[in-house]
Amino acid sequence: MVKTERVHVLKEGIKKPGPVVYWMSREQRVNENWAMLFALDLSVKLQQPLTVVFCLASNFPGATLRHYDFMLKGLEEVEAGLLKKNIPFYLLMGSPPETLADFIAEYGICHVVTDFDPLSIKRKWKGDLLTKTTASVYEIDAHNIVPCRIASQKCEFGAYTLRPKIKKRLHEFLDEYPMLAVQKNQGSFPLTKNDWISALQFPLSNPEIPPVEWMKPGEAAAKIALQTFLDQKLERYNEKRNDPNEDATSQLSPYLHFGHISAQRIALEIIKNLPGNPNTESFLEELIVRRELSDNFCFYNHQYDSFEGFPQWARKTLNEHRHDEREYLYGFDEFENARTHDPLWNAAQLEMVKSGKMHGYMRMYWAKKILEWTQSPEEAMDFSIRLNDRYQLDGRDPNGYVGCAWSIGGVHDRAWAERPVFGKIRFMNYKGCKRKFDVDKYTRKWLSKTNPLTLF
Ligand code: FAD
Ligand code: FO1
């Protein structure tokens, strides 16, 4: 049922009968989740009970109340959905390797299924777990339509090199999901409800950053957002997607980040809805090629969030311009509080702080100006990633690290005409934005939302 190309065996454990656990992490949904489907398949084949756990790490890098609130509400929906399938769901508090290893030992678990994630923190969690358990451990790529390890076995130069590799095999993997069956026997695992009130009792970094109100978390809300995009926006996507004054994009990135919906479901619906249409093509280019390119970069380049991870040509040109005079220089607080000389940049910062989601076009301008107005490209990466992860609902994601590295370090881009500070890194400026959209309208909207000195 689940293609073997999606399955990667992290550890062949001691062969003995015992329950199966799905350690849910990236794909926080019940349905249309290949890791969930694989875990139930395995438990039926072994005639062993299946349970699902989520390890809640209180110190996930960059995560604030805004993110934990969105994520935990989505997980509450997962619990309800799994109860209907007679599959117990436990929220384990504490750092995953230890809490999970204790759970495995306590219940004599013999098979651990988890979902693919290229980020360093997940590699570390899984690496630590392997040293603490004798159970078999399987990793399922339920995020990418063409599994990351299958699409390419190396770090790709850009979309133009990955695209043909994905297109060649897309038809094999872009198939319909089977329904998740009801578990016949959950064994000795009680179908209890978790204590969601106390789940958020741990000390949160930046508790002043409030949950977003305009976007509802969870699997059901993600499906509604997809339907809204299909019904009202897809046909204008090409024409309007780069205009930050228009609500013309899918707004699906937070749902994809937390796994409330799969890219595969989105692609299936888009193609069904508007086959062979240029809007469909350009949307799928972003959803499939660009998104899978981010996982490819983070998986094969462990320095995905730093200057050292930039391509050689970019490091060379940035080094050659390291000592160029900066016309403006700002510290982290000035950026965070939207206190630069540029009202357009300040407006983009406030859109992110206030709404939790900066428009895609503005993210490029926003990050490139941080390169222009900081002491060094290293500092630019540090500031942009910290701000992106702290305020973006879809932050802390391979797309974010690659987005910053593309903007500041030319990752997946080519060399452009040389200029101060940027060297040959692609340049963007206010004038370029003015040619693209009504800058005053966007600036007025977000600067009027609040006094920049009081973010909330
Ligand atoms: P749509 O245009 O509707 O796109 C649909 C989906 O395609 C997105 O949800 C996303 O999964 C994917 N996608 C679209 N554009 C890109 C892209 N450039 N790279 C990779 N995938 C893409 N995306 C995040 O998910 N999290 C981030 O933290 C993030 N930070 C970024 C930082 C910078 C500096 C830049 C330049 C880009 C960043 N992006 C990030 C990529 C992109 O801006 C967002 O994915 C997009 O704006 C999300 O809005 P949407 O879902 O409405 O996009
Ligand atoms: N994944 C977990 O397994 N446990 C967590 O406690 C956790 C917290 C968290 C907070 C914010 C956030 O943006 C992501 C978080 N994730 C957590 C990871 C997330 O589920 C995704 O897997 C990755 O961030 C995407 O690569």
Side-chain angles (χ1 to χ4, degrees):
M1 164 126 53
V2 179
K3 291 186 186 324
T4 49
E5 294 88 345
R6 292 194 180 285
V7 183
H8 183 72
V9 180
L10 290 178
K11 178 172 194 161
E12 285 284 10
I14 295 175
K15 293 251 180 287
K16 62 183 170 74
V20 179
V21 65
Y22 168 29
W23 169 27
M24 180 183 278
S25 179
R26 194 180 196 191
E27 312 305 327
Q28 298 167 24
R29 64 182 178 278
V30 175
N31 305 295
E32 306 186 335
N33 175 347
W34 293 117
M36 185 75 246
L37 286 159
F38 176 85
L40 187 61
D41 270 1
L42 182 64
S43 71
V44 168
K45 195 172 75 181
L46 297 171
Q47 296 182 318
Q48 290 290 338
L50 165 69
T51 186
V52 176
V53 300
F54 184 88
C55 298
L56 185 59
S58 58
N59 57 351
F60 198 82
T64 72
L65 172 62
R66 171 172 285 177
H67 312 107
Y68 282 109
D69 173 79
F70 193 86
M71 188 176 78
L72 286 168
K73 284 178 179 145
L75 287 170
E76 230 179 311
E77 197 176 315
V78 165
E79 174 189 70
L82 286 173
L83 281 180
K84 286 189 200 127
K85 302 284 182 181
N86 199 32
I87 300 175
F89 174 75
Y90 302 121
L91 186 70
L92 303 181
M93 306 298 286
S95 167
E98 289 76 23
T99 40
L100 187 59
D102 293 347
F103 182 87
I104 291 167
E106 187 181 346
Y107 291 97
I109 303 277
C110 290
H111 305 272
V112 180
V113 176
T114 189
D115 40 47
F116 172 78
D117 189 325
L119 295 187
S120 309
I121 186 166
K122 301 295 187 75
R123 286 170 189 279
K124 177 148 181 9
W125 286 355
K126 290 170 188 174
D128 290 353
L129 176 71
L130 296 185
T131 65
K132 297 175 188 304
T133 179
T134 56
S136 297
V137 186
Y138 312 90
E139 184 184 67
I140 314 299
D141 190 339
H143 201 75
N144 296 298
I145 300 173
V146 180
C148 184
R149 288 187 173 91
I150 299 293
S152 167
Q153 289 68 48
K154 69 180 181 68
C155 193
E156 293 293 331
F157 286 107
Y160 73 100
T161 59
L162 181 63
R163 188 178 302 113
K165 297 180 180 180
I166 285 190
K167 293 222 165 175
K168 196 169 68 187
R169 303 201 60 177
L170 192 62
H171 65 283
E172 272 178 73
F173 294 96
L174 189 52
D175 47 5
E176 260 306 337
Y177 287 99
M179 280 293 285
L180 180 73
V182 174
Q183 176 168 229
K184 293 215 175 12
N185 151 29
Q186 87 266 12
S188 57
F189 292 107
L191 284 165
T192 50
K193 286 179 73 65
N194 295 281
D195 174 1
W196 295 98
I197 308 295
S198 65
L200 255 184
Q201 292 319 309
F202 53 82
L204 281 161
S205 60
N206 302 94
E208 78 285 2
I209 300 177
V212 296
E213 303 300 336
W214 62 280
M215 179 176 260
K216 196 175 165 313
E219 213 168 326
K223 282 280 173 72
I224 293 168
L226 172 57
Q227 198 54 52
T228 304
F229 179 61
L230 292 172
D231 297 345
Q232 300 170 16
K233 306 195 220 177
L234 178 56
E235 290 188 331
R236 297 184 314 140
Y237 185 71
N238 251 347
E239 182 204 348
K240 297 285 184 190
R241 69 193 178 103
N242 283 326
D243 184 341
N245 291 312
E246 295 283 339
D247 174 13
T249 65
S250 70
Q251 306 290 20
L252 288 170
S253 56
Y255 296 120
L256 282 159
H257 168 70
F258 286 104
H260 295 166
I261 193 167
S262 74
Q264 188 155 338
R265 170 51 58 213
I266 297 169
L268 287 165
E269 295 308 313
I270 295 281
I271 293 167
K272 215 184 296 174
N273 207 282
L274 208 59
N277 179 294
N279 290 293
T280 299
E281 287 319 305
S282 65
F283 181 79
L284 293 180
E285 168 70 12
E286 301 299 330
L287 176 79
I288 302 176
V289 178
R290 278 281 159 198
R291 205 180 47 84
E292 301 211 9
L293 185 62
S294 298
D295 265 31
N296 169 275
F297 185 71
C298 293
F299 185 64
Y300 290 112
N301 181 336
H302 295 189
Q303 297 172 304
Y304 55 76
D305 54 358
S306 69
F307 177 86
E308 290 67 29
F310 296 170
Q312 203 281 328
W313 70 265
R315 279 180 279 120
K316 181 172 177 296
T317 192
L318 285 165
N319 282 330
E320 285 161 1
H321 291 270
R322 195 174 277 283
H323 304 298
D324 291 4
E325 189 184 335
R326 270 71 173 155
E327 194 185 352
Y328 296 93
L329 266 181
Y330 296 111
F332 184 81
D333 286 354
E334 289 160 305
F335 283 118
E336 182 170 39
N337 290 287
R339 282 211 299 273
T340 74
H341 68 287
D342 176 357
L344 177 60
W345 190 94
N346 295 341
Q349 174 67 13
L350 285 168
E351 179 186 23
M352 174 176 73
V353 166
K354 300 292 291 178
S355 76
K357 188 172 182 293
M358 189 192 296
H359 187 277
Y361 188 82
M362 292 314 301
R363 299 195 200 201
M364 298 185 282
Y365 179 78
W366 174 84
K368 285 180 179 292
K369 290 300 145 190
I370 294 178
L371 168 62
E372 192 171 346
W373 303 330
T374 43
Q375 304 268 16
S376 70
E378 289 84 354
E379 189 172 75
M381 277 297 275
D382 175 47
F383 287 7
S384 56
I385 286 173
R386 280 164 60 195
L387 290 170
N388 193 73
D389 282 0
R390 180 174 294 176
Y391 292 105
Q392 299 280 29
L393 206 44
D394 60 21
R396 298 151 311 289
D397 190 281
N399 288 344
Y401 302 117
V402 171
C404 293
W406 176 89
S407 304
I408 295 164
V411 166
H412 301 147
D413 202 358
R414 64 176 174 84
W416 293 74
E418 192 158 7
R419 55 182 307 120
V421 181
F422 283 78
K424 296 174 186 164
I425 300 294
R426 181 196 298 250
F427 180 67
M428 282 177 80
N429 67 359
Y430 189 92
K431 280 213 295 297
C433 290
K434 271 187 99 63
R435 281 195 301 273
K436 275 254 179 190
F437 61 90
D438 182 341
V439 162
D440 297 337
K441 182 176 174 189
Y442 176 81
T443 306
R444 267 197 314 276
K445 176 179 179 186
W446 289 105
L447 288 192
S448 67
K449 285 266 179 201
T450 178
N451 164 352
L453 300 180
T454 53
L455 291 175
F456 296 108

